[in-house]
Amino acid sequence: MLFTWYFSSHSITHPTYFIEDEIADRTIINVIQSRRSIFGMLFIKIIVQILLDLVKAIPLFCLVALVQQIAFPTDWVVTFVTFLLSFVVIASLYGLGFLFASFSFVFTKISSITSLLAYGILFLVGFQEQSSHLIATLTRFLPFHLLVSFIRQPSWFVLLLLLGYGLIYWLLGYLCFQTCLTYAKKKGSLFHV
């Protein structure tokens, strides 16, 4: 779950950082005028960032597991499936990241809010028992509880729910992204001037 939280915190923040950088550098207009979509350009940047993060994270988390004497499952299939499902959760949350990033077209400094959200997600991952009814309720809006449930007791139903979360997040993220981008272009406020 620590591995999933690490990548999930990036999935909430990186799309916003990338959009804000493109707006600040004034390169977003070049992307708009090219044949490649902004959404596609961000997607490629995210893939590269995930690969870089994997190079850093896997050795680090293996070292943490060795120091903490965490026992890995002896069944490699279970480990591989758990690893893949972690990336399903991470990919799902990138859809949510695109939702937040879309507000960068309309407002400034959205990355400050997403940074706070990324740290707030730490309390919703499921490391510890939920201390309040509010936190337990908020946890249900994120797919972490389903990943924990699947790790404890694999189920096709939980797998389908995880995929459903991802589909909902990506639909919301994509629709909001396109709506805010169109609004900013029509209003002429893409650079917040």
Side-chain angles (χ1 to χ4, degrees), residues 2-3 6 53-67:
L2 183 63
F3 182 82
Y6 173 75
D53 285 342
L54 273 173
V55 169
K56 293 185 300 187
I58 288 179
L60 177 67
F61 286 114
C62 285
L63 180 65
V64 168
L66 287 173
V67 169

Side-chain angles (χ1 to χ4, degrees), residues 15-30:
T16 305
Y17 291 151
F18 293 152
I19 288 290
E20 286 183 353
D21 285 345
E22 294 293 328
I23 290 171
D25 295 341
R26 306 278 195 229
T27 55
I28 197 161
I29 199 71
N30 295 335

Side-chain angles (χ1 to χ4, degrees), residues 13-77:
T13 57
H14 283 164
T16 305
Y17 291 151
F18 293 152
I19 288 290
E20 286 183 353
D21 285 345
E22 294 293 328
I23 290 171
D25 295 341
R26 306 278 195 229
T27 55
I28 197 161
I29 199 71
N30 295 335
V31 177
I32 290 172
Q33 291 174 340
S34 72
R35 282 190 261 168
R36 183 173 301 277
S37 72
I38 294 173
F39 202 79
M41 180 267 313
L42 281 176
F43 196 72
I44 290 169
K45 280 186 166 190
I46 286 168
I47 298 286
V48 170
Q49 189 63 48
I50 287 173
L51 292 174
L52 289 172
D53 285 342
L54 273 173
V55 169
K56 293 185 300 187
I58 288 179
L60 177 67
F61 286 114
C62 285
L63 180 65
V64 168
L66 287 173
V67 169
Q68 294 292 321
Q69 298 176 349
I70 297 171
F72 285 100
T74 55
D75 186 2
W76 287 100
V77 173

Side-chain angles (χ1 to χ4, degrees), residues 64-121:
V64 168
L66 287 173
V67 169
Q68 294 292 321
Q69 298 176 349
I70 297 171
F72 285 100
T74 55
D75 186 2
W76 287 100
V77 173
V78 171
T79 303
F80 183 71
V81 169
T82 303
F83 187 74
L84 282 179
L85 284 179
S86 292
F87 272 97
V88 168
V89 170
I90 293 161
S92 298
L93 291 175
Y94 267 105
L96 198 58
F98 273 100
L99 177 86
F100 294 123
S102 62
F103 295 116
S104 296
F105 293 125
V106 181
F107 305 106
T108 58
K109 302 295 180 194
I110 295 297
S111 59
S112 302
I113 296 168
T114 58
S115 295
L116 288 174
L117 287 173
Y119 286 108
I121 284 177

Side-chain angles (χ1 to χ4, degrees), residues 136-148:
T137 303
L138 288 175
T139 301
R140 298 292 177 200
F141 288 104
L142 296 170
F144 299 118
H145 70 285
L146 292 172
L147 180 61
V148 170

